[in-house]
Amino acid sequence: MLRPSLQSILDVALLTRVAATASSCRTDSLPTPTLLGGSILSIEAAQVNSATISSSSIDFCNVSVIYTHPGQNDRINVSLWLPNTWNGRFQGVGGGGWTTNADFGDMVSAVSQGYAAATTNGGHTAITNTSSWAMLSPGNVNLYLLQDFASVSLNDMTIISKQLTEAYYGKPISRSYWNGCSTGGRQGLMMAQRYPDAYDGILAEAPAINWAEFIVAEFWPQRVMHEMEYFPNQCELSAITSAAVEACDELDGLEDGIIGMIGLCDFDPRSAVGKAYTCGDLASHVTEEAATIVQTIWTGARDAYGRFQWYGFPRGTPLNGLANTTCSSNGTCIGVPFAISKDWHQIFLKRDPNFDPYSMTQAEWDAAFHASVNQYTSIIGTSDPDLTQFKNAGGKMITWHGMADQLIFYNGTVDYYERVLEADPGAKEYYRFYAAPGVGHCRGGVGAVPTDPLAQLVKWVEEGEVPTTLTANRTVEGRRWEQGLCAYPLSSKYIGGDPASASSFRCE
Ligand SMILES: *[C@@H]1O[C@H](CO)[C@@H](O)[C@H](O)[C@H]1NC(C)=O
Ligand SMILES: *[C@@H]1O[C@H](CO)[C@@H](O)[C@H](O)[C@H]1NC(C)=O
Ligand SMILES: *[C@@H]1O[C@H](CO)[C@@H](O)[C@H](O)[C@H]1NC(C)=O
Ligand SMILES: *[C@@H]1O[C@H](CO)[C@@H](O)[C@H](O)[C@H]1NC(C)=O
Ligand SMILES: *[C@@H]1O[C@H](CO)[C@@H](O)[C@H](O)[C@H]1NC(C)=O
Ligand SMILES: *[C@@H]1O[C@H](CO)[C@@H](O)[C@H](O)[C@H]1NC(C)=O
Ligand SMILES: *[C@@H]1O[C@H](CO)[C@@H](O)[C@H](O)[C@H]1NC(C)=O
């Protein structure tokens, strides 16, 4: 990894403004990149001007590379955007859900900040229903494409794109960053764990790590409702969630609609039984069945002997992501499983696109859970806590996770970070984790969302400025509230004063 001084970075940045001109954005002016195990099928380059793309003012060279791993029958697209005004840095941009590649908007955002930005489609199209690519033939999972999605294509994209970036500008890249949330966060951690030299800084937000466990467990809430033979409407579930928030809100010193200290909240959902709620025209009361369902979802997946399989949700987390239901006008509701989890059970575990995951007995559930961990952890678990190689390469990494994440269990990230600290008690020198109370999956919710964590990562990597807290903000009654998210294991406590000011909170 290159470590130029700050001055030489600035020099590079200044020079490249001059060097990069639209005229060099031609297919025949770019070299064919070399990639161990890969064979380049085509390269295409064409200038894109801001007017044609969005309101952001970005002009860039759009480079598209298609390659294959001979013998693996895949065909992978890499997309590299090279801005006319380059800041000297490279950014690998992560995907979401089953989609390997970045959102268009995330690429625009990176390029508008001057990054050379790249993404890969991992060899499959971006859709939730995986049977189109993940089943080779009846009963056969396409493990090579799963491996492309999980790890290999991400490193390939980085290797290919770095070569083309340096050739285009005629200058070395000063620093490289990964930026992603959810699947993109998992991809970032995969880079740190498996390709530790690739990135100087990694922003791995709400990461979909512990994949082999949590994707199975995402079906648990549906299973619980099915076993209870009762699918509550969403209003009944939110009545219980709100009761928990009311009961535990003030544990962090401030009544603001957020449970900040989830570890101290032991609200019992049975105390909400009989509570009145309305749902459109329907006025009803919280049932015992719903209270039991919510308690079992909060507890998390357990096996036939009551033993831990995976975490549930912290109290206060919206249940509409994984315990979603849809109701007919006669009041009868049915479950709506989260598509990725349903897919995982059908395609990857049962190898049968028509399999009904509600049909599993407890023994079958336990077998599925075990099979997932046993067969897939090494491919896509992304749960290796040994970051020694990343540390030795000089990398820095930031993770934040919303405590009210409705899709990925917040405590899975706590679990991973605890294991990182166990492996290396000094890990916070290069890897920091921040909890975001009240924040949903990657964004949303009522809590303060990190304002510009990538900028804080860049300062940490390039100027040694340690991100003691992660700057975050939220909007309360039209007013901007600022907060510094605390580095785990500290929690934010209100110490008095204007709640809109970060100085009214202390990490303890
Ligand atoms: C970049 O080029 C590829 C390949 O020609 C094309 O599919 C894609 O739409 C282009 N992207 C933009 C933003 O123009
Ligand atoms: C890959 O790129 C080719 C050429 O630009 C395009 O035709 C194809 O649709 C792309 N595939 C995917 C899955 O985006
Ligand atoms: C997924 O797609 C396949 C065909 O591509 C179709 O047969 C199947 O019904 C789809 N499954 C879902 C859950 O949409
Ligand atoms: C989840 O993590 C929090 C720390 O942020 C901890 O207080 C709580 O006990 C954990 N819950 C479980 C079920 O492990
Ligand atoms: C819940 O399911 C309904 C019906 O399929 C759907 O319209 C809604 O978007 C889902 N809600 C969430 C939060 O996914
Ligand atoms: C309610 O409506 C659904 C969908 O129309 C139907 O399947 C169900 O049998 C009805 N339930 C009752 C109790 O009438
Ligand atoms: C944080 O502040 C920015 C800038 O004022 C604003 O655009 C953004 O919506 C705020 N975030 C939240 C979650 O309110």
Side-chain angles (χ1 to χ4, degrees):
M1 228 181 268
L2 218 75
R3 298 255 168 243
S5 69
L6 186 59
Q7 189 52 52
S8 72
I9 295 169
L10 296 175
D11 288 345
V12 168
L14 281 176
L15 285 172
T16 45
R17 271 164 214 247
V18 182
T21 60
S23 66
S24 54
C25 181
R26 290 194 329 262
T27 301
D28 60 10
S29 67
L30 291 169
T32 301
T34 55
L35 176 68
L36 179 65
S39 169
I40 307 292
L41 301 174
S42 74
I43 307 184
E44 237 183 89
Q47 183 68 25
V48 173
N49 295 312
S50 51
T52 61
I53 189 164
S54 72
S55 50
S56 327
S57 166
I58 50 168
D59 297 289
F60 61 93
C61 181
N62 174 25
V63 184
S64 305
V65 179
I66 302 180
Y67 72 99
T68 183
H69 299 107
Q72 296 185 9
N73 232 345
D74 55 3
R75 190 181 168 87
I76 303 177
N77 286 21
V78 171
S79 203
L80 169 65
W81 293 7
L82 299 164
N84 291 20
T85 306
W86 186 39
N87 67 12
R89 304 182 182 103
F90 174 75
Q91 186 178 136
V93 193
W98 275 124
T99 309
T100 322
N101 55 284
D103 243 35
F104 191 75
D106 292 341
M107 290 292 282
V108 169
S109 162
V111 168
S112 63
Q113 294 174 60
Y115 288 89
T119 187
T120 172
N121 75 359
H124 71 263
T125 352
I127 45 157
T128 20
N129 183 347
T130 60
S131 65
S132 63
W133 64 270
M135 294 247 83
L136 268 179
S137 58
N140 292 302
V141 169
N142 193 332
L143 292 174
Y144 277 129
L145 274 186
L146 181 64
Q147 174 179 273
D148 281 333
F149 169 69
S151 61
V152 169
S153 76
L154 311 169
N155 191 48
D156 293 346
M157 170 272 272
T158 307
I159 290 172
I160 289 171
S161 302
K162 281 183 173 182
Q163 288 174 54
L164 291 171
T165 301
E166 297 192 335
Y168 179 70
Y169 294 113
K171 294 279 178 294
I173 290 164
S174 64
R175 306 283 177 163
S176 296
Y177 296 89
W178 182 272
N179 185 4
C181 193
S182 195
T183 274
R186 187 196 63 72
Q187 293 169 337
L189 272 146
M190 181 61 87
M191 296 311 296
Q193 293 169 15
R194 205 164 287 187
Y195 311 104
D197 296 317
Y199 290 93
D200 303 280
I202 293 176
L203 178 61
E205 307 169 305
I209 50 171
N210 309 299
W211 182 282
E213 290 93 351
F214 98 85
I215 295 286
V216 181
E218 281 187 330
F219 195 77
W220 178 254
Q222 293 293 331
R223 175 175 170 75
V224 168
M225 294 188 291
H226 183 259
E227 291 288 290
M228 188 65 73
E229 294 178 4
Y230 180 59
F231 287 90
N233 62 51
Q234 294 300 300
C235 307
E236 186 172 11
L237 294 178
S238 2
I240 301 177
T241 309
S242 322
V245 174
E246 269 165 46
C248 297
D249 190 345
E250 269 184 288
L251 291 172
D252 59 0
L254 181 68
E255 203 181 326
D256 60 351
I258 292 171
I259 305 180
M261 304 219 164
I262 56 174
L264 299 180
C265 179
D266 57 5
F267 174 79
D268 182 343
R270 276 170 308 190
S271 66
V273 172
K275 185 184 165 184
Y277 69 86
T278 54
C279 213
D281 294 338
L282 172 81
S284 194
H285 294 85
V286 171
T287 59
E288 293 204 16
E289 287 90 337
T292 305
I293 285 167
V294 169
Q295 181 59 57
T296 315
I297 292 172
W298 284 347
T299 301
R302 296 293 183 270
D303 74 4
Y305 308 96
R307 292 179 305 197
F308 175 86
Q309 287 172 322
W310 200 244
Y311 299 93
F313 286 125
R315 286 164 171 72
T317 305
L319 299 175
N320 61 356
L322 301 187
N324 195 12
T325 52
T326 183
C327 308
S328 343
S329 50
N330 65 17
T332 310
C333 306
I334 54 167
V336 181
F338 182 54
I340 297 178
S341 178
K342 185 179 171 198
D343 233 36
W344 187 253
H345 281 279
Q346 293 176 319
I347 308 291
F348 291 89
L349 300 177
K350 267 301 184 196
R351 299 164 196 236
D352 171 7
N354 300 312
F355 174 65
D356 173 13
Y358 288 112
S359 72
M360 280 182 271
T361 62
Q362 178 74 44
E364 285 164 346
W365 168 268
D366 292 350
F369 198 94
H370 180 264
S372 183
V373 174
N374 182 276
Q375 293 173 35
Y376 292 107
T377 298
S378 70
I379 299 175
I380 196 173
T382 326
S383 50
D384 180 358
D386 181 355
L387 299 175
T388 312
Q389 306 300 315
F390 181 65
K391 170 191 173 178
N392 290 347
K396 299 274 188 285
M397 181 156 61
I398 286 178
T399 286
W400 69 265
H401 202 133
M403 277 182 172
D405 189 323
Q406 72 281 25
L407 294 178
I408 299 183
F409 307 96
Y410 161 79
N411 279 83
T413 296
V414 175
D415 178 298
Y416 176 71
Y417 195 69
E418 288 276 5
R419 291 190 302 114
V420 168
L421 291 177
E422 209 171 288
D424 176 5
K428 73 178 199 326
E429 298 306 318
Y430 55 90
Y431 181 29
R432 286 181 176 241
F433 164 50
Y434 309 81
V439 176
H441 187 56
C442 293
R443 63 188 67 85
V446 284
V449 178
T451 309
D452 192 353
L454 179 65
Q456 284 189 275
L457 176 64
V458 169
K459 285 214 158 181
W460 193 15
V461 167
E462 300 183 11
E463 297 167 36
E465 190 176 305
V466 177
T468 313
T469 58
L470 205 60
T471 305
N473 68 282
R474 60 175 158 146
T475 310
V476 181
E477 287 163 2
R479 191 165 167 232
R480 191 176 197 267
W481 285 27
E482 301 226 342
Q483 199 169 333
L485 302 179
C486 303
Y488 186 87
L490 302 179
S491 300
S492 175
K493 191 156 168 65
Y494 178 64
I495 53 168
D498 182 358
S501 159
S503 61
S504 305
F505 297 83
R506 194 170 55 214
C507 293
E508 56 182 51

